[in-house]
Amino acid sequence: MALREIVKFGEDILRKKCRDVTSFDEKLGILLDDMTETLQSADGVGLAAPQVGLLRRVVVIDVRDGKGTIELVNPVVVEQHGVQIGNEGCLSAPGEWCEVERPMKVTVKAFDRHGSEFTVKGEGLLARALCHELDHLEGILFIDRVKQDIPERAEARK
Ligand code: CO
């Protein structure tokens, strides 16, 4: 395993759409291992392939719920319910936190590293992480999801 360098906001690659993974080979396994190691080393909750410089639909998530890292290849949201508003950050924007609205629950279909399809249901932080990381695959960043700050809300945060 090896640490990969995390791309920061401002780099073009974070604004591009990722391509599907078509071969579930050794190279994919190495990428997933490296992404997990990079995520852990950065003490993050999620990491998407474009953040390590690859336009591939690959994501790793670890919300520290004791269930370990979830590896998602070619993930798609198939269901979502409710709304949550909370602070969100990104390993590509260290120190930046914004209030972002996300679904409270999501169901995502994806493939594992061997090409087997599975479903993951996330609520709360896991739902937030799934949406944030899947956005990366479309070139969407969490700052795009921040609503225009209404004065009352800005006031309430002081
Ligand atoms: Co991010």
Side-chain angles (χ1 to χ4, degrees):
M1 298 218 281
L3 287 179
R4 305 237 180 164
E5 199 181 324
I6 299 177
V7 172
K8 300 296 189 298
F9 278 22
E11 299 272 345
D12 286 349
I13 192 162
L14 293 179
R15 287 306 191 178
K16 291 184 177 154
K17 249 186 113 145
C18 294
R19 294 182 297 273
D20 271 337
V21 168
T22 49
S23 27
F24 294 81
D25 53 11
E26 197 187 337
K27 222 176 139 188
L28 174 65
I30 292 168
L31 172 64
L32 281 161
D33 288 343
D34 287 357
M35 284 175 65
T36 294
E37 194 182 349
T38 305
L39 177 68
Q40 283 166 357
S41 154
D43 202 23
V45 163
L47 188 67
Q51 292 181 277
V52 293
L54 282 167
L55 289 171
R56 286 279 182 265
R57 304 189 78 83
V58 176
V59 160
V60 293
I61 290 174
D62 187 350
V63 291
R64 315 290 155 83
D65 58 358
K67 291 178 186 158
T69 308
I70 308 171
E71 300 176 347
L72 301 122
V73 179
N74 302 343
V76 181
V77 173
V78 290
E79 247 187 272
Q80 60 177 65
H81 299 284
V83 171
Q84 58 172 320
I85 296 168
N87 267 329
E88 203 167 305
C90 180
L91 289 178
S92 293
E96 232 178 285
W97 293 86
C98 294
E99 209 167 67
V100 182
E101 187 178 308
R102 298 286 189 188
M104 181 52 85
K105 293 182 183 182
V106 289
T107 303
V108 171
K109 271 193 177 170
F111 294 87
D112 67 14
R113 62 168 67 201
H114 307 294
S116 301
E117 199 177 24
F118 68 99
T119 300
V120 54
K121 286 176 191 264
E123 195 175 339
L125 179 60
L126 181 53
R128 177 174 296 283
L130 284 162
C131 293
H132 178 112
E133 300 313 327
L134 267 63
D135 268 356
H136 272 299
L137 306 182
E138 305 300 327
I140 299 168
L141 303 176
F142 77 108
I143 46 171
D144 305 337
R145 302 276 190 197
V146 177
K147 294 217 178 100
Q148 195 73 32
D149 224 59
I150 53 167
E152 301 86 71
R153 214 185 255 174
E155 200 60 41
R157 274 207 300 270
K158 280 179 187 163

